[in-house]
Amino acid sequence: MTLPQIRPNHPASCHCGAIQFTVTLVPEGLATARRCDCSFCRRRGAIAVTAPLDGVKILTGHDKLTLYQFGTNTAQHHFCAVCGIYIYHRRRSNPNELGVNVACLEGLNPRDLGDVEWSDGINHPSDARP
């Protein structure tokens, strides 16, 4: 399967277009795609790819970004306040990374990725109890 080319500063947007942004992924690019089965992600259902902390640049609609946090409040989930689409999140598994919604990337259909690996968010090490 040939994946589309995701270039540095790749254009992206939410569903309604209120938030326009660019994404620069880590060097492994689309190969970092994964899903998570934590209580939040399994309901959200999005496939995320990895970007460095400075890998998302909001061009328009910064005032439309809304934040959701829960549990340990480590992960920061950002959504469009207009259409509700998940844009990106600061990861709980690695707070030095962002997970970006593949479906927001221009020219990419998440189906193009085929089977995507699942991360075990149910048994996350941050939730371990002594």
Side-chain angles (χ1 to χ4, degrees):
M1 170 184 349
T2 304
L3 295 176
Q5 284 296 106
I6 302 300
R7 59 193 183 278
N9 299 310
H10 194 88
S13 68
C14 63
H15 184 259
C16 70
I19 301 173
Q20 300 285 321
F21 59 105
T22 63
V23 176
T24 299
L25 299 178
V26 295
E28 299 81 15
L30 294 176
T32 65
R34 65 183 187 210
R35 301 182 102 143
C36 175
D37 66 356
C38 77
S39 64
F40 184 65
C41 291
R42 70 175 175 255
R43 287 171 177 85
R44 182 177 63 202
I47 297 171
V49 288
T50 305
L53 286 181
D54 63 353
V56 171
K57 301 283 188 225
I58 305 298
L59 304 175
T60 62
H62 195 274
D63 61 326
K64 303 295 188 231
L65 271 179
T66 189
L67 174 67
Y68 176 70
Q69 290 182 278
F70 69 100
T72 63
N73 288 324
T74 303
Q76 300 169 348
H77 305 272
H78 297 271
F79 294 82
C80 174
V82 179
C83 65
I85 293 299
Y86 151 65
I87 306 293
Y88 70 96
H89 70 286
R90 188 167 187 171
R91 289 197 162 135
R92 179 172 66 147
S93 60
N94 183 346
N96 295 312
E97 293 179 343
L98 300 177
V100 179
N101 183 356
V102 162
C104 291
L105 299 174
E106 186 176 294
L108 181 70
N109 184 327
R111 291 180 66 167
D112 296 341
L113 299 176
D115 290 331
V116 175
E117 179 181 334
W118 284 87
S119 294
D120 185 0
I122 294 173
N123 300 300
H124 196 280
S126 296
D127 297 336
R129 308 237 185 328

